[in-house]
Amino acid sequence: MQKFFSNKKLIVLMVALLVSLGLIFTSVGVRNNKSTPPFIQQIGNDAVGIGARIIEAPANWIKNGLDDVDDLMSTYQENRKLKGQLEDLAQTKVRNQTLTRENKALKAQLKLTGTLTDYTEITASVMLRSPDDWRNIVVINKGSGAGIEKNMPVMSGSGVVGQVIEVNKTNAKVEMLSTDNKSANRFAAQISTGSDLVNGIITGYDEQSGMLIMGQINTDKDIKKGQQVITSGLGGATPKGLLIGTVASVKKDDYGLANSVYLKPAADLNDLSVVTVIDRTIEGE
């Protein structure tokens, strides 16, 4: 019985559509006939309008239904993507926790008090960056009272941006990687080429291209574009493994002798608001 009424509704809808189309075509013919009295033409215009609305209603219903289906599919795909990202983050967190536990166990077994990769983090905000000294110095709102010490490296986002050069009780000065100070204390850097380790120093900054320059490298063998450059942890207060940037190109000096590696910085050196100061804490030191 329910199927009958459902079919009956469909038949009524089809008949209504056919009648509406007939009215439209008839009314158009009547309206366009110049010999037709004005009153009849007006009726024809009204019939065209009514017929158009009758046809437009189910058409709009179908269109809106298709739009809703499209929105639903887009939402479904986006939810799947977000779910996959959450699963990846959860897996990464578990892996990091596992590696941390293994690292502690190995250190205990080997009776190590610390390694080159040990460090803690201190978060601070940038409170001052002078337009006249934009590429050289920033001032952060944490100082010795928060555990900040001179020569500690400073990061923003996922990359190194500089190091602490002056410490007060409530604030500290950070010298940027982009500084033009020739006597600045430079970072020891390292590139893993897969088959070998390439060591060098971050020697400068090319303001025109926005690239960092890694010099004094021991070899340019197997250095390729896109390879990551990290701190080597060799000397000073900087731990090993902090990301500095990625290789953009390898160039020789004006005499065709020494090699310089140009790096795309991992952090945006022009946009700093919150930074992380790295405390290389090693027990027993």
Side-chain angles (χ1 to χ4, degrees):
M1 196 69 175
Q2 186 177 0
K3 183 177 181 182
F4 170 77
F5 281 114
S6 177
N7 292 336
K8 187 176 180 181
K9 291 178 182 178
L10 182 60
I11 293 171
V12 170
L13 179 61
M14 293 298 296
V15 170
L17 289 174
L18 292 174
V19 170
S20 300
L21 288 172
L23 284 172
I24 290 174
F25 289 126
T26 303
S27 300
V28 169
V30 171
R31 183 185 62 183
N32 293 337
N33 191 341
K34 294 182 179 180
S35 62
T36 304
F39 176 72
I40 302 299
Q41 288 185 357
Q42 184 178 356
I43 293 175
N45 290 333
D46 292 339
V48 170
I50 293 172
R53 283 195 292 272
I54 292 174
I55 293 176
E56 184 180 7
N60 286 336
W61 179 80
I62 293 172
K63 179 180 180 298
N64 292 334
L66 292 175
D67 289 342
D68 290 341
V69 171
D70 184 60
D71 291 342
L72 183 62
M73 292 301 296
S74 297
T75 303
Y76 173 72
Q77 294 294 337
E78 185 176 356
N79 285 341
R80 285 190 61 186
K81 183 178 179 181
L82 290 173
K83 184 179 179 181
Q85 291 176 347
L86 286 173
E87 289 175 351
D88 290 342
L89 287 173
Q91 178 59 38
T92 300
K93 184 177 180 180
V94 170
R95 183 173 182 271
N96 287 339
Q97 291 173 344
T98 302
L99 291 174
T100 300
R101 287 194 297 267
E102 289 181 353
N103 186 38
K104 288 182 178 179
L106 289 171
K107 286 169 63 177
Q109 184 177 358
L110 296 172
K111 297 181 181 181
L112 295 175
T113 57
T115 68
L116 292 177
T117 57
D118 285 345
Y119 65 85
T120 57
E121 300 177 354
I122 304 170
T123 302
S125 296
V126 174
M127 56 185 294
L128 178 63
R129 190 174 190 179
S130 172
D132 298 332
D133 207 20
W134 186 261
R135 61 176 287 190
N136 293 320
I137 301 292
V138 298
V139 180
I140 60 176
N141 67 344
K142 295 286 181 68
S144 59
I148 305 293
E149 296 179 4
K150 188 176 179 180
N151 295 327
M152 284 183 174
V154 180
M155 301 184 71
S156 177
S158 59
V160 177
V161 295
Q163 61 185 321
V164 177
I165 59 169
E166 182 181 312
V167 183
N168 302 303
K169 186 67 176 177
T170 59
N171 59 72
K173 282 186 179 180
V174 176
E175 188 169 55
M176 300 290 292
L177 279 174
S178 56
T179 183
D180 57 8
N181 180 9
K182 301 300 182 183
S183 61
N185 187 17
R186 300 294 184 175
F187 283 93
Q190 190 175 80
I191 306 172
S192 176
T193 63
S195 59
D196 200 1
L197 291 177
V198 177
N199 290 292
I201 303 291
I202 302 300
T203 56
Y205 176 76
D206 184 1
E207 189 172 10
Q208 185 174 0
S209 65
M211 298 288 180
L212 296 169
I213 303 172
M214 178 178 173
Q216 300 181 27
I217 59 176
N218 55 346
T219 177
D220 63 348
K221 183 180 179 181
D222 297 329
I223 297 178
K224 297 178 182 177
K225 182 178 180 180
Q227 289 176 332
Q228 291 187 337
V229 181
I230 61 173
T231 55
S232 66
L234 302 177
T238 304
K240 182 178 181 178
L242 304 182
L243 183 61
I244 299 174
T246 54
V247 176
S249 62
V250 180
K251 299 180 181 179
K252 292 187 178 295
D253 63 14
D254 295 337
Y255 303 98
L257 300 174
N259 293 299
S260 294
V261 180
Y262 283 71
L263 318 175
K264 180 181 179 181
D268 187 349
L269 302 179
N270 296 316
D271 184 16
L272 299 180
S273 56
V274 178
V275 297
T276 301
V277 182
I278 304 300
D279 180 6
R280 184 180 178 177
T281 303
I282 299 179
E283 298 175 7
E285 288 193 354

